[in-house]
């Protein structure tokens, strides 16, 4: 019988490789300097790739790193070299989409920093101690929404027509700007 899938870390870095939201789940990087060195190395190795439309996978220093970029943010999920890439991808996708839902499709560095508490709540809902808890973005967003004390009557799955139109307008504006 195999072991349960586990996550080594989840990173959100900005377009310069600086920390936005970071969570390490193992002691593979025991000091702050080793964590910063890992983050810089991963950023340097991946910054030239085009991971905007689809997530990319890279083997790096004995780890599998799955990553995706949106605007000026870079999302990374790291697992052991024997970890299943599809599981790592589902963690990345669930976290990424939950953040997208919570930030109302306005995922950029400034908005992320303004809502850092919600992003860390998302991290806590996705992974705890390296163990994967949830990968469904809607479930994650609902839990964060309720944990933050927001009105659940206006949950993301039950938006009013005006909210849905506003969201659609934002999507259209973003797609035209790309």
């Amino acid at each position: 019988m195999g072991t349960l899938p586990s996550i080594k870390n989840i990173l959100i870095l900005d377009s310069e490789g600086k920390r936005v939201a970071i969570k390490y789940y193992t002691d593979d990087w025991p000091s702050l300097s080793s964590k910063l060195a890992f983050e810089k190395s991963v950023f340097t190795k991946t910054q030239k790739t085009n991971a905007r439309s689809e997530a990319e996978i890279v083997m790096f220093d004995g780890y599998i790193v799955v990553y995706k970029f949106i605007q000026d943010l870079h999302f990374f999920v790291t697992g052991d070299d024997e970890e299943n890439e599809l599981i790592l991808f589902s963690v990345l996708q669930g976290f990424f989409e939950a953040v997208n839902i919570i930030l109302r499709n306005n995922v950029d560095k400034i908005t992320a920093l303004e809502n850092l508490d919600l992003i860390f709540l998302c991290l806590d809902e996705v992974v705890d101690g390296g163990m994967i808890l949830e990968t469904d973005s809607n479930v994650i967003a609902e839990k964060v929404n309720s944990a933050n004390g927001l009105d659940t009557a206006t949950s993301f799955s039950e938006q009013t027509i005006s909210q849905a139109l506003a969201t659609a307008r934002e999507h259209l504006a973003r797609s035209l700007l790309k």
Side-chain angles (χ1 to χ4, degrees), residues 96-105 107 137-138 141-142 156:
F96 174 82
E97 289 175 359
V99 168
N100 200 25
I101 291 169
I102 288 170
L103 297 183
R104 303 276 184 184
N105 301 311
V107 181
S137 58
N138 292 319
E142 290 294 330
F156 299 113

Side-chain angles (χ1 to χ4, degrees), residues 18 36 63 75-77 84 150 158 164 170:
K18 295 189 173 108
L36 292 171
Y63 300 101
F75 290 74
F76 300 90
V77 173
N84 185 324
L150 298 176
E158 299 174 3
E170 289 174 10

Side-chain angles (χ1 to χ4, degrees), residues 17-140:
K18 295 189 173 108
R19 290 176 158 199
V20 175
I22 307 292
K23 193 95 176 216
Y24 283 86
Y25 301 103
T26 64
D27 292 329
D28 291 12
W29 303 273
S31 66
L32 177 61
S33 61
S34 62
K35 290 175 183 174
L36 292 171
F38 176 78
E39 293 161 20
K40 182 178 179 183
S41 299
V42 167
F43 177 78
T44 303
K45 181 163 178 105
T46 60
Q47 75 180 22
K48 302 280 189 225
T49 62
N50 186 15
R52 297 206 179 272
S53 59
E54 291 294 324
E56 299 282 335
I57 299 171
V58 66
M59 285 290 292
F60 182 76
D61 282 349
Y63 300 101
I64 296 175
V65 180
V66 182
Y67 60 98
K68 186 172 184 166
F69 307 152
I70 185 167
Q71 294 190 30
D72 57 351
L73 292 179
H74 298 210
F75 290 74
F76 300 90
V77 173
T78 307
D80 202 15
D81 64 346
E82 295 179 10
E83 204 59 70
N84 185 324
E85 294 89 352
L86 294 175
I87 292 174
L88 296 176
F89 170 76
S90 68
V91 170
L92 172 70
Q93 197 66 22
F95 174 62
F96 174 82
E97 289 175 359
V99 168
N100 200 25
I101 291 169
I102 288 170
L103 297 183
R104 303 276 184 184
N105 301 311
N106 188 22
V107 181
D108 60 16
K109 181 180 177 181
I110 293 171
T111 308
L113 290 172
E114 289 172 349
N115 295 284
L116 202 54
D117 57 336
L118 299 177
I119 290 175
F120 278 108
L121 283 172
C122 271
L123 282 170
D124 291 341
E125 291 297 333
V126 174
V127 178
D128 183 29
M131 289 181 25
I132 301 165
L133 300 177
E134 184 64 63
T135 59
D136 184 334
S137 58
N138 292 319
V139 172
I140 297 164

Side-chain angles (χ1 to χ4, degrees), residues 142-153:
E142 290 294 330
K143 287 182 179 179
V144 169
N145 197 19
S146 64
N148 197 37
L150 298 176
D151 183 15
T152 55

